[in-house]
Amino acid sequence: LDWRADPSEHRLSRNGEPVPITPRAMEVLAYLLERSGRVVSKEELLGAVWDGQAVTDDALVVTIYELRKALGDRARDPTYLETVVRRGYRFLPPVRASVAGTGPPPTVADPPAFVEPGHVVDPPGTPSFPQQRPDGDPRPFFRGLGALRIAAVLLFAGAAVAVALGMAPGPKEGRRLTPVGTGVDATEAPTRRSDDRVVDALLVRARRELDERSPASLERAETHYRRLLDLRGDDPRAHAGLARVAALRADLRLGDRFDLYHEARSRAERALSRDGSLVDAHLALATTQFILDWDASAAARSLETCLSLEPGNPDVHQVRAWLFSAMGDHAAARRAAARAVSLDPESASRRADLAFVLVLGGDPAAALEEARGALVLDPEHPAAQGTLIRIHLALGDPESARRHHLGILRRGGWGPSDLADLEGPRDGGGYWPFLRRVLDRLSPETALASRAAAAAHLGELDDAVALLERAADRRDWEILWLEQLPELAPLRDLDRFQALLERRGSLDS
């Protein structure tokens, strides 16, 4: 492959074809190109590229994800950009600098070489960007970096970037948001209306029901929020809460996922049009952007806004853990999930999510401890039960996975006659033939990713990819973790699997 990067013109091309790239990702690329082969720490990148702006490491994590997406790279098996654990990032291929009109065109190197043109005539259709800040500042839009004078982006999207990077102003001095996550301002009005105490009580009760996350508790939360609408008319806090109810119902498959996610988005946008400080609305919007739209960048911006408004909200950190896990940044996912647990240590859901990101991050022993902790808090927690199966498989103990799955089926109402054909060592035993027999008893349109995993481990690779393609058509959430789910590892080198990854990426706007 012949890659050319011209940061001063914000142009990236592969074999002469332009490749879309975000301005911030281009700036990070420019900095890494100049230091190809050297490990660049996160602190150095943040200091050089963000130029002293008050941002968290998560801003860099999102930008690295965007850069990998532009390069078609994978975090687990990198060709271009390597993550060096606890140290930083390293750009792997050799880099050559060139100036237009000074010698023959570069040859393709192996591994792929990047060329940094000083001024190269690009093919027709290459996007161009203004050389002036969009806020009208006459300073140059780019600044030079180092001896090669690689230009780097300073700022592109103005105020929108400030919000996305956590720089948006928080609540005004002296204000407090009560109860957590609702945007209720206890000091705004000089006098309290007669029904204020009723409203506050409804919001507190609804919050507790949301945190429980069971079908019955979500029903009760909806009742509280609808009563708030009866009391206060078109109250944006009620719409923000109902947006969260819809998003959580979609997560739990309590209805048509698409209808529920669209309801969550509609209510969140309605609430934010009235009050931009409502964390529940931003969080519901982030969930739909991630799970429904497959737009990790937009979801990350919404979550950064949540953090700027309410850094101690465990729900925000939990969704961030999902996002970073799907993006392949397992260290960031672990930190976010652990933060959610520390903020809400008695929640089985938080511990189950931490177990999930740990096993996907390659630490099944730690995941096992967290899954067991979740089951102590809630012995029937479905996410913890399912993650425990994945953990046993990752630990190389398929027989424990099979026994645990049998226990789930028994508790789920499968009787002795239902289980009689599952408990014996048919097909030589093992977990995957067992799972195939379980799935054969269910509707063929359920658990497509699990069916694909079973087919892959039974040697039916084409059938496995076809099942994942159907899951992508339905936009099942597992597609977000195609590169991370360990049970799909046998498929990752197949051309059809790689095409599926590209298709998924094309849906991330």
Side-chain angles (χ1 to χ4, degrees):
L1 295 177
D2 176 18
W3 285 91
R4 289 176 177 263
D6 186 357
S8 65
E9 297 292 330
H10 190 92
R11 289 171 180 163
L12 178 66
S13 65
R14 178 180 58 198
N15 296 334
E17 295 296 323
V19 175
I21 186 171
T22 65
R24 187 72 73 182
M26 174 60 88
E27 186 172 6
V28 170
L29 175 61
Y31 196 83
L32 293 172
L33 284 175
E34 188 178 1
R35 293 154 184 82
S36 175
R38 176 168 81 79
V39 177
V40 179
S41 70
K42 290 185 176 182
E43 293 76 14
E44 181 180 346
L45 273 170
L46 286 168
V49 176
W50 276 263
D51 199 23
Q53 297 178 37
V55 299
T56 66
D57 288 356
D58 300 337
L60 176 59
V61 169
V62 171
T63 303
I64 292 293
Y65 166 76
E66 293 173 337
L67 178 54
R68 282 198 172 108
K69 181 181 174 183
L71 299 176
D73 209 10
R74 292 184 291 180
R76 281 197 171 186
D77 184 22
T79 300
Y80 305 113
L81 182 56
E82 177 187 22
T83 298
V84 183
V85 178
R86 289 188 292 275
R87 293 182 60 195
Y89 301 98
R90 173 166 44 212
F91 197 81
L92 297 173
V95 174
R96 301 192 305 275
S98 70
V99 179
T102 59
T107 59
V108 178
D110 185 16
F114 267 78
V115 179
E116 306 158 339
H119 182 72
V120 176
V121 177
D122 290 277
T126 302
S128 60
F129 291 81
Q131 300 301 300
Q132 180 177 344
R133 290 167 57 97
D135 57 9
D137 190 324
R139 290 178 294 169
F141 192 60
F142 300 93
R143 68 179 187 273
L145 284 177
L148 295 178
R149 305 302 294 169
I150 302 174
V153 177
L154 283 173
L155 188 62
F156 182 70
V161 168
V163 173
L165 300 180
M167 297 164 54
K172 295 180 181 178
E173 191 71 26
R175 294 184 69 207
R176 61 186 180 90
L177 301 180
T178 309
V180 172
T182 63
V184 180
D185 189 344
T187 62
E188 242 174 20
T191 60
R192 290 175 61 84
R193 291 169 48 175
S194 60
D195 60 353
D196 277 354
R197 291 186 179 180
V198 175
V199 168
D200 289 350
L202 286 172
L203 289 168
V204 170
R205 291 171 188 163
R207 167 61 49 191
R208 289 172 181 162
E209 302 296 354
L210 280 180
D211 288 343
E212 186 177 327
R213 291 187 183 146
S214 68
S217 73
L218 294 177
E219 290 285 349
R220 293 190 292 269
E222 180 177 3
T223 298
H224 296 323
Y225 286 125
R226 291 197 179 280
R227 187 171 175 205
L228 176 56
L229 286 176
D230 292 338
L231 287 172
R232 289 288 177 85
D234 198 34
D235 193 306
R237 295 169 298 181
H239 289 295
L242 289 170
R244 288 278 288 130
V245 169
L248 288 170
R249 280 178 170 156
D251 293 342
L252 296 174
R253 301 295 200 269
L254 301 176
D256 184 278
R257 292 175 57 245
F258 293 99
D259 289 345
L260 287 167
Y261 279 130
H262 284 300
E263 178 187 350
R265 188 203 306 277
S266 175
R267 287 193 180 276
E269 291 174 344
R270 184 172 181 177
L272 292 173
S273 70
R274 299 273 305 280
D275 185 348
S277 71
L278 294 171
V279 175
D280 276 340
H282 285 291
L283 186 56
L285 187 60
T287 304
T288 64
Q289 290 165 333
F290 175 45
I291 301 293
L292 181 64
D293 299 342
W294 298 352
D295 190 341
S297 299
R301 290 192 293 271
S302 293
L303 290 169
E304 286 290 331
T305 302
C306 290
L307 284 181
S308 71
L309 293 167
E310 197 176 301
N313 187 317
D315 286 341
V316 175
H317 293 280
Q318 188 162 332
V319 176
R320 290 173 69 245
W322 299 342
L323 178 66
F324 290 134
S325 175
M327 289 160 53
D329 193 321
H330 300 295
R334 183 174 189 155
R335 289 195 302 271
R339 178 62 173 155
V341 169
S342 70
L343 291 166
D344 191 8
E346 299 305 313
S347 168
S349 176
R350 316 288 183 205
R351 291 190 180 275
D353 271 357
L354 177 53
F356 175 75
V357 301
L358 285 170
V359 70
L360 264 60
D363 193 350
L368 181 62
E369 181 179 349
E370 293 300 334
R372 287 173 173 168
L375 292 173
V376 168
L377 294 167
D378 181 358
E380 302 301 324
H381 194 277
Q385 295 281 4
T387 298
L388 195 53
I389 295 174
R390 181 174 279 118
I391 292 169
H392 286 312
L393 293 171
L395 289 170
D397 189 0
E399 180 56 26
S400 290
R402 189 183 70 86
R403 287 198 305 268
H404 183 70
H405 201 153
L406 276 170
I408 294 174
L409 297 176
R410 289 192 189 98
R411 290 188 296 272
W414 288 43
S417 60
D418 299 315
L419 299 172
D421 194 40
L422 300 176
E423 294 182 337
R426 289 184 50 193
D427 304 324
Y431 180 73
W432 300 109
F434 161 81
L435 179 61
R436 167 68 61 79
R437 295 195 296 273
V438 172
L439 293 171
D440 284 345
R441 310 244 184 129
L442 306 177
S443 166
E445 293 305 312
T446 61
L448 293 178
S450 295
R451 294 176 187 277
H457 285 271
L458 293 173
E460 303 162 4
L461 301 186
D462 287 341
D463 291 344
V465 178
L467 286 163
L468 291 178
E469 289 168 345
R470 283 164 56 193
D473 291 340
R474 299 191 338 183
R475 304 183 73 82
D476 285 354
W477 68 265
E478 291 92 342
I479 300 301
L480 291 162
W481 276 269
L482 278 180
E483 297 162 277
Q484 319 305 333
L485 292 173
E487 59 266 30
L488 299 180
L491 305 174
R492 291 194 181 121
D493 292 332
L494 299 180
D495 290 341
R496 284 178 65 189
F497 187 87
Q498 293 300 317
L500 187 56
L501 289 178
E502 292 180 10
R503 172 185 168 193
R504 182 199 61 187
S506 70
L507 299 172
D508 187 345
S509 58

